Amino acid sequence: FCLSRGLGDVYKRQVSQSRGFAAVSRVNGQRSVRVQGSINPSIANARELMAALKSDYLPELAKKRPGVSVRILGEAEDTATTGSSLLRNIGVGMAGVFLLLAFYLKSFIRPVAVLAAIPLSLVGVMWGHMALGLQISLPSLVGLATLAGVVVNDAILLVNFIDEKVEQGIDVLVAGREAVRDRFRAIFLTSLTTVVGLGPLLLEQSTQAQFLRPIVASLAFGLTAATLLALFVTPAVIAVLHDFKLGFRGKSNT
């Protein structure tokens, strides 16, 4: 039994029958029937399939067979379990990154300018998956979680350079422009070497590499977008914090 997407987002049922051994399966003393199948990712992903199943098929089944209960297992159950664990681990990782930045910058406010680069990677992740024709899946989120500790590197370079300029008495806006101009080559090459290193796996079309491609796509495109956008966002956040006199060390001529 499988569902395939047709025109107008209509899901058509395709049923094939074959001979097999007769068996009676029971779960907790109740008779059960297991229905399983594989998904063609070019037609629909597991999330869309489960949404169609819950909205279209299961309500009608409950009306016709009120004594039948349905439990969804397999990829849907694994995704829910792994997703909750992933969110918890992301929170722990973000807290660790924040504490390290707070120790380095000697402030609990200034790490915001560095951590602002992390949400920017979402832009690249979305566009990268669209360009490659990939669905946002659990491996994509794993790659996004990995980005949290990578994209902050470029922002740290900018913040450190801005601090040095401001301590010399240069205005924070001028310091931001000079930081982007002087550190652009180092930031660009640092990110470029990482993206180029991921290129062979990103372009691999073999069956064995299809599970890893969403992870690599999140890393490559997310890092590219975060690197380019951080050149504008990080100095702007630093300037905002400076205007509100929040956690800014050093002196300026303003």
Side-chain angles (χ1 to χ4, degrees), residues 3 5 11 41 43-53 55 135:
L3 298 177
R5 174 174 285 183
Y11 289 82
I43 299 176
N45 57 24
R47 184 180 63 256
E48 294 173 335
L49 196 61
M50 289 299 102
L53 184 68
S55 62
Q135 299 284 347

Side-chain angles (χ1 to χ4, degrees), residues 113-254:
V114 179
L115 295 178
I118 297 178
L120 301 178
S121 60
L122 284 171
V123 178
V125 171
M126 297 296 181
W127 282 102
H129 279 71
M130 292 177 59
L132 297 177
L134 300 175
Q135 299 284 347
I136 297 293
S137 58
L138 187 60
S140 305
L141 301 181
V142 173
L144 180 61
T146 307
L147 278 174
V150 178
V151 299
V152 298
N153 296 335
D154 299 334
I156 292 175
L157 291 176
L158 289 176
V159 172
N160 187 48
F161 194 87
I162 293 174
D163 282 348
E164 293 177 356
K165 292 295 183 180
V166 171
E167 289 177 356
Q168 297 173 6
I170 300 177
D171 180 73
V172 65
L173 297 179
V174 177
R177 290 196 296 267
E178 292 184 357
V180 173
R181 182 192 63 196
D182 296 341
R183 306 306 298 172
F184 174 77
R185 179 180 296 179
I187 291 174
F188 178 76
L189 290 178
T190 300
S191 300
L192 181 62
T193 52
T194 304
V195 173
V196 171
L198 295 172
L201 186 56
L202 184 64
L203 300 177
E204 180 62 43
Q205 299 296 327
S206 63
T207 304
Q208 293 81 358
Q210 295 310 304
F211 177 76
L212 296 176
R213 288 191 72 203
I215 301 177
V216 179
S218 295
L219 288 172
F221 288 95
L223 180 59
T224 301
T227 298
L228 297 177
L229 295 177
L231 296 174
F232 302 93
V233 175
T234 300
V237 175
I238 287 291
V240 171
L241 295 178
H242 178 267
D243 290 341
F244 285 97
K245 303 184 184 303
L246 297 175
F248 204 91
R249 59 186 175 89
K251 56 183 180 179
S252 68
N253 60 358
T254 56

Side-chain angles (χ1 to χ4, degrees), residues 45-141:
N45 57 24
R47 184 180 63 256
E48 294 173 335
L49 196 61
M50 289 299 102
L53 184 68
K54 293 177 181 179
S55 62
D56 299 336
Y57 182 75
L58 294 184
E60 296 296 328
L61 179 64
K63 294 179 181 179
K64 295 180 180 179
R65 302 287 188 270
V68 175
S69 60
V70 178
R71 182 181 177 185
I72 299 176
L73 303 173
E75 183 176 350
E77 185 182 43
D78 295 340
T79 300
T81 303
T82 309
S84 59
S85 176
L86 182 62
L87 290 176
R88 181 174 62 254
N89 294 332
I90 289 177
V92 174
M94 290 290 293
V97 172
F98 177 82
L99 292 177
L100 290 174
L101 291 174
F103 176 77
Y104 173 72
L105 299 174
K106 300 179 181 180
S107 171
F108 287 104
I109 301 297
R110 292 176 57 75
V112 173
V114 179
L115 295 178
I118 297 178
L120 301 178
S121 60
L122 284 171
V123 178
V125 171
M126 297 296 181
W127 282 102
H129 279 71
M130 292 177 59
L132 297 177
L134 300 175
Q135 299 284 347
I136 297 293
S137 58
L138 187 60
S140 305
L141 301 181

